[in-house]
Amino acid sequence: MDLNTIDKTYALTGNQGDSRIAEKRFIILHESGNDSDRKNERAVKNEASYMHDNFGNAYTTHFVGAYDAKEKIYQIGEPGYVSWGALNANPYAPVQIEFARSTSPETFKIAYRAYINLARYYANLYGIPLTLDQGGVNTPGIKTHSWVTKNFGGDHVDPYPYFAEMGITKEQLAKDLMNGVDGQVAKENTVNNIVKVTDNRFKAFTTYDKNGNPNVGTDITPSSEWVSNSIVALTNENLPFYQIATNIFIPQKITNFKDVVVINLPKSEHAYTVNDLGEKTGDKVDNSLIGGSSWQHDGTLYPMKNGVIAYKIASNLYLPVQFAQGSGYTGK
């Protein structure tokens, strides 16, 4: 899941939305039910805009769709906090995802893949099982709004009726949530040390030496790709930099890993986290840190007293830099 693809144009800010932290029990799946979206190429954009402007009535954390033959994910509410899409189930869902109806089966497939990827990513992030609509109100897992109706009340049955029209049964939805959409896993390269300059604000960007001072005559250009040997903390702010030559470093903030760390391990392996003292934790989220999974960070590296340097990926949970793509690890 590439978090850089999430559009925050319509994200709630300031005092908008709910300030309560959600219990990490459910990921709730919705479908808008707006049939006019079938006729609108950019329906998901309009849906996200409307939800942002009317959040006082209801809102979810994300709205998923597709247009221009590309997936489109909009963030509305802040993941990890309560959103207002599923009545009394809201306090138990750190993420709720809406789906905009599509103009064609081809567009639906693109949006559906993004929907599944997003649900799987956040379920793994919060340690929520990938099971669909299992158990009662105390059973964690991914739930549909239809399940919420049966267990908490209301009258919604989404996303099943529309998905059935598009050839996705309940059984297929459960399978895709558990295993990923067919073909996507096999194509992923989970050990990777190539970083790409994605910031295009300038024609060239400065590189730095090991002391954090600008180099002369070694500027790099947007869209250029570099093999990174290690990730280090430079400057007084401990910002992450990639080492691309003996004494040449580039800031992570101009690359495709600006605010996300991808686990640089084979899919058969998983990383571990440490606490703010650099001590290995036994938190259950560790089992979700499989090779190729993506995790948001705050753009800072945290040097620990015992010499460990790590990214902060959750409250008092830190990922050592050696587990990040671009660290130089090759799997050998």
Side-chain angles (χ1 to χ4, degrees):
M1 181 71 224
D2 184 358
L3 298 181
N4 291 313
T5 64
I6 297 178
D7 192 321
K8 298 182 181 180
T9 301
Y10 303 111
L12 301 180
T13 59
N15 295 322
Q16 296 177 320
D18 204 308
S19 62
R20 292 174 295 167
I21 296 175
E23 182 177 322
K24 299 174 180 63
R25 191 185 303 179
F26 309 139
I27 302 295
I28 299 179
L29 303 180
H30 302 263
E31 183 271 307
S32 70
N34 187 354
D35 213 43
S36 64
D37 286 351
R38 298 179 194 254
K39 303 176 183 179
N40 188 337
E41 172 75 17
R42 304 197 172 214
V44 65
K45 182 177 186 296
N46 295 338
E47 292 279 17
S49 175
Y50 181 85
M51 182 172 280
H52 172 273
D53 293 344
N54 296 273
F55 74 89
N57 297 323
Y59 72 94
T60 57
T61 56
H62 299 85
F63 224 118
V64 176
Y67 58 81
D68 295 339
K70 296 179 180 179
E71 66 180 47
K72 197 67 180 178
I73 302 174
Y74 287 98
Q75 180 178 309
I76 313 298
E78 181 70 23
Y81 290 81
V82 174
S83 53
W84 304 334
L87 300 176
N88 291 334
N90 291 335
Y92 312 106
V95 165
Q96 299 193 48
I97 307 170
E98 276 280 6
F99 188 95
R101 297 191 174 190
S102 301
T103 56
S104 69
E106 292 74 22
T107 303
F108 172 82
K109 290 178 182 178
I110 295 170
Y112 177 74
R113 181 182 293 271
Y115 186 74
I116 295 296
N117 287 347
L118 191 67
R120 283 169 51 80
Y121 169 77
Y122 278 111
N124 286 328
L125 177 63
Y126 294 121
I128 295 172
L130 295 171
T131 53
L132 177 65
D133 287 354
Q134 298 297 304
V137 297
N138 294 315
T139 304
I142 300 175
K143 314 295 185 182
T144 62
H145 204 161
S146 178
W147 179 92
V148 171
T149 294
K150 292 176 183 177
N151 289 273
F152 286 91
D155 57 5
H156 288 245
V157 294
D158 53 297
Y160 290 129
Y162 174 65
F163 277 15
E165 288 183 41
M166 306 306 290
I168 301 296
T169 63
K170 178 178 180 179
E171 292 72 23
Q172 186 63 52
L173 179 60
K175 178 182 176 182
D176 291 338
L177 288 168
M178 180 61 67
N179 304 312
V181 177
D182 290 343
Q184 71 183 25
V185 172
K187 295 179 181 178
E188 293 179 352
N189 178 15
T190 56
V191 176
N192 174 45
N193 291 296
I194 297 175
V195 299
K196 182 177 182 179
V197 179
T198 53
D199 194 328
N200 59 5
R201 292 175 300 163
F202 306 104
K203 292 182 179 180
F205 290 87
T206 300
T207 68
Y208 297 81
D209 64 21
K210 63 182 180 181
N211 297 314
N213 299 315
N215 286 318
V216 178
T218 60
D219 292 349
I220 56 175
T221 58
S223 298
S224 59
E225 296 183 346
W226 305 87
V227 176
S228 173
N229 300 311
S230 64
I231 304 171
V232 300
L234 297 181
T235 76
N236 292 332
E237 292 80 23
N238 287 320
L239 300 179
F241 281 70
Y242 293 110
Q243 183 179 12
I244 61 173
T246 301
N247 196 26
I248 299 179
F249 299 81
I250 61 174
Q252 189 177 76
K253 67 181 181 180
I254 67 170
T255 73
N256 53 315
F257 297 110
K258 176 183 177 182
D259 55 8
V260 63
V261 56
V262 180
I263 304 300
N264 201 29
L265 293 171
K267 276 193 170 295
S268 59
E269 300 178 22
H270 66 81
Y272 61 80
T273 52
V274 297
N275 59 24
D276 56 10
L277 298 176
E279 302 166 335
K280 186 176 178 180
T281 69
D283 195 281
K284 63 184 179 180
V285 75
D286 291 356
N287 293 324
S288 301
L289 290 165
I290 60 172
S293 60
S294 301
W295 302 79
Q296 289 180 309
H297 63 82
D298 61 6
T300 302
L301 288 180
Y302 293 81
M304 313 297 185
K305 290 183 178 180
N306 61 356
V308 173
I309 300 175
Y311 292 96
K312 186 175 183 179
I313 61 171
S315 178
N316 202 26
L317 285 178
Y318 300 82
L319 180 76
V321 292
Q322 68 262 29
F323 292 125
Q325 289 188 355
S327 65
Y329 174 79
T330 62
K332 299 179 181 180

